[in-house]
Amino acid sequence: METQRRRQRLGVLGAALGGFAIAFLVVSTVRGGPGSQPGTLPRRPVLTAQQRAERFQAGEPWQGRGRGPWSQADVDAFADYALVWLGEEFAGYHLQAVSRTKYDAPPDIPTARPQDMVTFIYGTCTPAPGAHGCLAPASVQIQPACLVRPEQVAERVKHGPAETVRGGGRLQRFADGHVMLWIGKIVVRVNVVADPDRVDDAVRQLRGVGRLNAALRAGGPLASPDFSACPRQ
Amino acid sequence: MQAFVLIHRRCRVPRLPLTWTFGLAAAFGGFAGTVGALAMAPRARADMVYGNGHIAVYSFSDSVCTDLVDPISVVFVNKATTTNVNTHAGHHGRWTYRDGTMQYFYDHACKPLASQAANRASWGLPGRYHMRHRPNTDAVWGTYSLATPHYEDTLWCGHAVDSNWDEAPGGFVKAKWEVGYRWHNWNNGGGAHVYVHSEWWGNTDPQWQCDGQPAWNDGWTDIIRID
């Protein structure tokens, strides 16, 4: 009689523990923790492979000159500030265009800011029905570091704290998946719209180009940020 | 004593069948497991979704917010209801036309635009200032509206935002300046619009246009208060 009661009690205890374990596992999986890293966020829906193929295309191979204003010779000769790029192709997307946009802010418009940016555009795209345009699959944009300093980045768009990459570059991730890298006296924006998971690969692949930075190889050490020439804020 | 034993016996909980006992034990365990798992889960920003953040910095062409389109370069704050934004757009900039295609905004969830404002009809020549916008409310900005101003040319191929290549600063920046400057008439006191500040949102992705040229925002988003 006593043995039977003991068995029943053990059975009830086992059922309770089993229920606990099952509920714990189910809820943990649904919530994404405790196995997930703190700060790791659930992914937003992304384009399917088929939608990506419909939206983004490789474009014509770079043959020293693309669709943009600059040729390879212009890139190689540039010496106003250091440049980095992803070579003539990245993730299957060919370099399509290189340009420099430079203008001063009109003095009579208080909200205007000057711009000086060299842009490398990779790949082409087909707009969605009804849309007037579509974002390029990948791009690298370089500006003098004084134009966008880390403290000017809005907290609401950041994803995590700044990181040090490739020995010295200061990297800031953004919630939409792109990154900015402060390297020496430049700031580099890298985005792989077609596949945000490739952005770390793009950071590894960044290499120097132009007269001031041609020696920098993919994966090589990056200089630490240098704001010494920037005006005081 | 006998009376106590009698009461005690009468008050005893009737003994449940064994299967019920197991079931109740499992349910209790399940409840405790749920509570435990919720308590131990990391305090993730549950309303922040990788790839969009609380607020995505672009509008989208699709209703599930996967396909980025136009940069959000202006946020009207304080009393920026849809009606107020349209009223000011009409009053200050004569942006009284409401036509244009559907787009979506991600602001904690993917939602359709609330309204559009433009200074010409969709196919007006040579082009038009145009923006889509959508409101929300929070403790920091009050009632605010996210907006995507741009200047688009009407071309043989459709609409094309002015390129940053040969029409600098490009149609996205040009329209932002239009809202930030002419709407506010800074040189004459400003009135009921107040420029608060600019924030770096980094939404500078080149957007290919139908004429084969790209346009992009300069990465700065203007916060403008409507009183």
Side-chain angles (χ1 to χ4, degrees), chain B residues 56-61 67-72 103-105 148:
Chain B
V57 296
Y58 288 91
S59 60
F60 296 83
S61 72
D67 189 28
L68 307 158
V69 192
D70 290 332
I72 293 166
Q103 285 187 12
Y104 299 81
F105 290 80
T148 59

Side-chain angles (χ1 to χ4, degrees), chain A residues 130 132, chain B residues 70 73 95 97-103 113 115-122 127-133 147-152 159 161 171-172 175-176 178-179 183:
Chain A
H132 56 72
Chain B
D70 290 332
S73 61
W95 294 23
Y97 293 84
R98 302 276 172 261
D99 56 335
T101 56
M102 174 56 75
Q103 285 187 12
L113 61 83
S115 188
Q116 310 188 45
N119 72 334
R120 282 196 188 94
S122 184
R128 66 173 187 167
Y129 288 104
H130 176 217
M131 69 175 179
R132 298 170 174 87
H133 54 98
T148 59
H150 53 274
Y151 185 85
E152 56 195 14
H159 283 146
V161 175
F172 289 114
K176 179 172 59 176
E178 180 75 8
V179 172
W183 282 26

Side-chain angles (χ1 to χ4, degrees), chain A residues 11 42 55 134 136 141 175 189 191, chain B residues 22 29 50-51 67 202 204-206 208:
Chain A
R55 181 75 62 246
C134 52
Q141 295 170 310
R189 181 187 185 277
N191 200 7
Chain B
F22 280 119
Y50 172 78
D67 189 28
T204 62
D205 285 289
W208 286 116

Side-chain angles (χ1 to χ4, degrees), chain B residues 150-167:
Chain B
H150 53 274
Y151 185 85
E152 56 195 14
D153 289 328
T154 301
L155 300 178
W156 55 273
C157 59
H159 283 146
V161 175
D162 283 359
S163 172
N164 291 49
W165 283 351
D166 54 13
E167 294 175 280

Side-chain angles (χ1 to χ4, degrees), chain A residues 11-12 16 20 23 42 44-45 47 55 99 101 108 111 113 115 123 130 132-134 136 141 152 154 156 175 180 189 191, chain B residues 22 25 29-30 33 49-52 66-67 70 101 141 161 165 169 177 181 195 199-200 202 204-208 216 218 220:
Chain A
V12 169
F20 181 94
R44 72 174 163 92
L47 295 173
R55 181 75 62 246
S99 62
T101 309
D108 58 338
T111 61
R113 290 172 181 269
Q115 190 171 81
H132 56 72
C134 52
Q141 295 170 310
Q152 292 177 306
R156 72 182 86 252
M180 289 184 74
R189 181 187 185 277
N191 200 7
Chain B
F22 280 119
V49 180
Y50 172 78
N52 284 332
T66 61
D67 189 28
D70 290 332
T101 56
W141 282 340
V161 175
W165 283 351
W177 288 359
Y181 177 63
Y195 166 73
E199 297 182 352
W200 178 262
T204 62
D205 285 289
Q207 185 193 70
W208 286 116
W216 58 84
D218 59 6
W220 295 96

Side-chain angles (χ1 to χ4, degrees), chain A residues 129-217:
Chain A
H132 56 72
C134 52
L135 300 192
S139 59
V140 177
Q141 295 170 310
I142 305 103
Q143 303 180 75
C146 298
L147 291 183
V148 186
R149 298 173 62 157
E151 60 270 22
Q152 292 177 306
V153 176
E155 290 296 327
R156 72 182 86 252
V157 297
K158 288 180 182 176
H159 181 48
E163 304 164 30
T164 300
V165 296
R166 291 175 56 175
R170 175 176 175 159
L171 180 140
Q172 177 63 58
R173 295 180 191 277
F174 286 68
D176 69 352
H178 85 265
V179 298
M180 289 184 74
L181 261 168
W182 284 266
I183 308 166
K185 293 180 177 174
I186 60 170
V187 55
V188 183
R189 181 187 185 277
V190 182
N191 200 7
V192 188
V193 171
D195 187 357
D197 287 341
R198 299 292 298 264
V199 77
D200 285 331
D201 186 29
V203 170
R204 280 190 293 273
Q205 294 295 324
L206 277 180
R207 67 205 78 162
V209 68
R211 209 190 300 170
L212 300 183
N213 208 25
L216 177 64
R217 303 288 170 218

